[in-house]
Amino acid sequence: EEILCTLFPGGAFTTDAQQLHGIDLLRARFADMGVPVNLRSVLAKKNSLLELCEAAVNDTCMLTNPKPASVQDLLDICTEAW
């Protein structure tokens, strides 16, 4: 909600319907800028997900992740997002 309000001042994004509308606005803005909005757009082969997750689990950013995540956890998330 905070990000939406920052990008779209004056917008109300408190209800589920408003937040879904906000997601549509973000997708349109990203499309206008040529920014990919899904995993499939940046990773051409689904069989590359395992390699991606193995690298991600060892990334320094995982130190600040609010919940520990294994390769399998990340793979489950990425597979669902694919």
Side-chain angles (χ1 to χ4, degrees):
E1 179 183 351
E2 183 178 334
I3 292 170
L4 288 171
C5 290
T6 300
L7 291 173
F8 305 102
F13 301 102
T14 54
T15 68
D16 287 350
Q18 291 168 328
Q19 290 175 356
L20 289 173
H21 176 65
I23 291 169
D24 290 338
L25 291 173
L26 286 172
R27 283 189 178 129
R29 173 139 325 160
F30 291 145
D32 289 346
M33 295 185 299
V35 176
V37 294
N38 59 42
L39 187 56
R40 195 174 297 197
S41 296
V42 295
L43 192 65
K45 297 178 183 176
K46 189 175 183 178
N47 63 358
S48 299
L49 291 176
L50 178 59
E51 183 180 351
L52 174 75
C53 294
E54 288 172 341
V57 80
N58 293 311
D59 191 276
T60 305
C61 293
M62 290 296 284
L63 294 172
T64 59
N65 203 38
K67 179 181 175 188
S70 67
V71 171
Q72 187 60 52
D73 294 331
L74 297 176
L75 187 58
D76 291 345
I77 292 166
C78 289
T79 300
E80 186 174 334
W82 179 260

